[in-house]
Amino acid sequence: VVGKYADYGIEIVVDDPETEVLAGRNEQTVSTFAFNELLKGSLLNSRTIYVELPSGVRWHRDYNAATKEYNDISSEWMNVTGSVKKEEGSIRVLPNDPDTLKIVIKSDGSSKGKIELKNAKVQVAADFTGDITAKIWGNAGISEEIVLGTVVAPISATTDIKDIKIGVQKQAAGNIVITESKAEAIDSTGDSALTVALPFDVSWGAIPTVEVVEGDLELGTASVSGGTLTIPVKTSSSVASKIEISDVTFTADRTVPEGEMKATFAGSAVVKSDFANRNYVVKEVVANCVTPAPGETIGSGEFRIGSNIYYAGGVAKVMDVAPYIKDSRTYVPMRYLGEILGAEVVWDDAARTVTLTKGDTTVVFTIGSTSYTVNGEAKTADVAPEITNDRTMLPARFVAEAFGAVVGWDAASQTVLIQK
């Protein structure tokens, strides 16, 4: 053997791409990685290498409260061998781009060298999970991607999803279970707490029961403020633990939209990093909001005098007859009024009566009579139902109020407003 053939080039080696770090934490150590020269002189002097982290991950820097600046500690991560030298400023985190590390090569090319990054630390956004895939680029002739570790959420949440209704207080909902991904994932340092925050216009009906059902995590006394449940953490676990939240009740305002209702799981016990608008680790469905509730009133409706367009629950619809005013009272068609109130409407042609039924309430009107009954109790209106153009027309106010609805009148737009 008189020699060995080799070409100029740089090999990137990552010790353990499966290194696991937690979301929402600072000073998380990623895997050791190195740039190895295949032939001396491959790392050209004064050339640059950039190591760019994905969105949601950035290189860790200590904040100096005295100078109100970040201390660049990245030089502590860098080890070099061979002809490569480490000089002041040869490695640093970009001040205005903390997800990018800049390495300036210092080498005379006299021997084969190596740049190693060991114990490099990162900050991770609370909602980031998955591989930390770093892009390597610059004018040193490198363009690659490497995986420096995997981010896992400190907790997961599962829920027993139940339906809740708008405008109802202290509705029973399903249990919520919070599970640690590993021991000490829920931190007890300082004034530490877990929070479970409900969406806007939904609040906890009462303080639920909170207990550790697996593991040795120790909790303080839970409290509720509006839509946020706060669970103090007294001692971190030595065994991955599980928290169960039971006796759950929610109060939903009438403005809560229909569909899945998601809660965010956060708090200082699991979120230490500071990324704008990324301050929760888990977002899970905790209930299904029904708007309107099955078999109940749509909640609101509008009839405009002289128009065959009406609104039920904010949705514009068409009817085959228009409301009108008679004797200072508004008359609306029986069928459509029943739809808005969520009532079943039955017409008895022989008796000439209209029966509206919803739940435990039954209201009976007789054509041409000002007398009507609510659950059999006789009452008197100041106008009588009538038939116009083969359609039964009812006085809106008396019908709506019999079912507990509120009736309003907008004189400017000639509109009857009905609200549960």
Side-chain angles (χ1 to χ4, degrees):
V1 177
V2 295
K4 291 184 179 180
Y5 171 81
D7 199 358
Y8 290 103
I10 301 165
E11 177 188 32
I12 305 176
V13 178
V14 181
D15 280 3
D16 182 11
E18 297 182 1
T19 296
E20 193 174 87
V21 300
L22 287 174
R25 299 296 175 86
N26 299 321
E27 298 189 68
Q28 299 281 287
T29 303
V30 295
S31 180
T32 298
F33 62 104
F35 303 93
N36 299 327
E37 285 189 303
L38 299 178
L39 199 66
K40 65 179 181 179
S42 296
L43 290 167
L44 296 174
N45 188 53
S46 298
R47 296 291 178 92
T48 56
I49 300 172
Y50 294 97
V51 186
E52 182 182 351
L53 299 174
S55 176
V57 185
R58 59 192 179 204
W59 298 104
H60 174 74
R61 297 178 296 166
D62 283 335
Y63 183 71
N64 188 324
T67 63
K68 296 183 179 180
E69 294 180 349
Y70 287 99
N71 296 329
D72 196 347
I73 61 170
S74 54
S75 60
E76 301 172 9
W77 308 339
M78 185 175 176
N79 294 322
V80 296
T81 59
S83 62
V84 181
K85 309 298 179 185
K86 182 169 68 171
E87 298 179 2
E88 184 69 27
S90 59
I91 178 171
R92 65 190 182 97
V93 177
L94 297 184
N96 298 320
D97 193 5
D99 60 357
T100 302
L101 189 69
K102 180 180 180 181
I103 303 169
V104 179
I105 300 167
K106 301 296 182 181
S107 175
D108 59 14
S110 60
S111 60
K112 190 161 63 172
K114 173 182 179 180
I115 299 174
E116 180 185 61
L117 278 297
K118 190 173 184 179
N119 297 322
K121 294 179 173 59
V122 297
Q123 301 173 0
V124 187
D127 63 347
F128 182 95
T129 56
D131 289 341
I132 303 176
T133 303
K135 294 180 181 179
I136 313 295
W137 55 283
N139 62 5
I142 308 173
S143 180
E144 291 188 33
E145 290 188 353
I146 59 174
V147 176
L148 299 178
T150 300
V151 179
V152 297
I155 59 172
S156 61
T158 56
T159 59
D160 178 17
I161 301 171
K162 297 185 182 298
D163 287 347
I164 67 166
K165 304 170 187 176
I166 62 170
V168 180
Q169 297 185 11
K170 299 183 179 181
Q171 303 171 74
N175 291 1
I176 302 170
V177 176
I178 300 172
T179 304
E180 273 191 304
S181 59
K182 62 181 181 180
E184 298 184 328
I186 297 176
D187 184 57
S188 62
T189 304
D191 188 14
S192 181
L194 277 172
T195 61
V196 183
L198 303 176
F200 183 69
D201 281 345
V202 182
S203 59
W204 294 85
I207 300 174
T209 300
V210 181
E211 57 185 342
V212 177
V213 293
E214 287 184 20
D216 57 356
L217 183 71
E218 291 188 28
L219 304 175
T221 302
S223 62
V224 163
S225 177
T228 301
L229 169 68
T230 300
I231 307 170
V233 179
K234 295 171 66 177
T235 307
S236 296
S237 64
S238 60
V239 178
S241 299
K242 186 178 290 186
I243 302 168
E244 184 176 51
I245 305 172
S246 57
D247 301 320
V248 176
T249 57
F250 297 140
T251 295
D253 190 89
R254 292 192 179 279
T255 60
V256 178
E258 179 182 3
E260 294 181 340
M261 193 185 84
K262 295 183 178 181
T264 55
F265 296 76
S268 57
V270 289
V271 180
K272 305 291 185 183
S273 59
D274 183 17
F275 284 73
N277 301 317
R278 304 184 72 169
N279 55 359
Y280 61 85
V281 292
V282 179
K283 191 171 188 178
E284 289 292 341
V285 178
V286 293
N288 184 50
C289 188
V290 181
T291 312
E296 295 193 4
T297 177
I298 288 172
S300 65
E302 295 182 16
F303 293 97
R304 181 168 294 180
I305 302 302
S307 172
N308 67 340
I309 303 297
Y310 74 109
Y311 289 85
V315 179
K317 298 184 178 184
V318 179
M319 51 189 172
D320 54 7
V321 62
Y324 55 85
I325 297 175
K326 182 178 179 181
D327 297 331
S328 300
R329 290 288 182 237
T330 57
Y331 283 77
V332 296
M334 167 188 73
R335 170 185 168 189
Y336 305 103
L337 180 58
E339 175 192 348
I340 287 175
L341 295 170
E344 180 184 0
V345 182
V346 176
W347 164 251
D348 186 333
D349 191 54
R352 294 177 66 79
T353 59
V354 179
T355 302
L356 299 96
T357 305
K358 175 179 173 292
D360 297 330
T361 303
T362 299
V363 183
V364 181
F365 285 88
T366 302
I367 299 300
S369 173
T370 56
S371 297
Y372 68 102
T373 63
V374 179
N375 290 338
E377 181 183 351
K379 294 182 178 294
T380 303
D382 54 10
V383 292
E386 60 186 30
I387 295 177
T388 303
N389 297 327
D390 295 325
R391 290 289 180 264
T392 303
M393 307 297 287
L394 302 177
R397 179 175 300 278
F398 298 102
V399 180
E401 290 180 349
F403 287 99
V406 177
V407 180
W409 170 250
D410 184 347
S413 62
Q414 294 278 288
T415 302
V416 180
L417 306 171
I418 299 172
Q419 179 68 51
K420 179 67 171 63

